[in-house]
Amino acid sequence: QSPGERNYHIFYECLQGGLDDDELEKYFLSNFTAEDFRITSCSGTYDRRDGILDEETFADLISAFDTMGFSAEERFNVMAVTCALLHLSNLTLLLAVSADESEIDKSNVHLEPALSLL
């Protein structure tokens, strides 16, 4: 990410007001902010440059889900994959097992949420 640029808006929308407390818990995000994920913190920019609030554009997304006829399960699945990507961005690899293999750090707090959401 270049300085001043954000990653995909949906990540910030989820973390900065789009999801309510129950949803944050359901997606394992209760204790995290955009600053806590590699995918959203690379540039150090968390707010939109145009002044539009993330929770407003998230509300537009939910409205679009309704317009498109997304079921509750489909909505959950879209958000689960989105939130899993946040957690996946924080996974770390241990030293190479061999020239062709690496091992995921199983003690990483983001591993279980990512696996549960996928």
Side-chain angles (χ1 to χ4, degrees):
Q1 235 43 68
S2 298
E5 288 187 1
R6 299 191 327 166
N7 207 307
Y8 293 101
H9 294 294
I10 186 63
F11 297 131
Y12 304 90
E13 292 168 0
C14 288
L15 293 164
Q16 299 180 164
L19 298 175
D20 64 30
D21 289 341
D22 289 338
E23 291 169 318
L24 287 170
E25 189 173 325
K26 181 173 26 178
Y27 298 117
F28 306 97
L29 296 174
S30 296
N31 299 318
F32 299 105
T33 68
E35 294 177 20
D36 296 319
F37 294 97
R38 287 190 189 118
I39 200 168
T40 52
S41 65
C42 294
S43 71
T45 301
Y46 305 101
D47 298 319
R48 292 176 57 125
R49 290 184 275 181
D50 58 9
I52 295 173
L53 298 175
D54 287 313
E55 66 185 273
E56 291 175 5
T57 53
F58 188 82
D60 292 341
L61 173 66
I62 299 305
S63 177
F65 282 163
D66 291 337
T67 300
M68 299 287 294
F70 277 53
S71 68
E73 180 181 9
E74 289 169 326
R75 237 188 273 186
F76 172 81
N77 290 336
V78 169
M79 297 311 300
V81 170
T82 300
C83 296
L85 289 170
L86 287 165
H87 290 289
L88 288 169
S89 78
N90 279 9
L91 293 184
T92 50
L93 299 175
L94 301 174
L95 294 175
V97 174
S98 71
D100 298 325
E101 306 177 64
S102 293
E103 184 179 349
I104 291 178
D105 179 1
K106 294 179 182 100
S107 67
N108 187 304
V109 299
H110 296 279
L111 180 58
E112 187 59 38
L115 294 175
S116 293
L117 291 168
L118 294 174

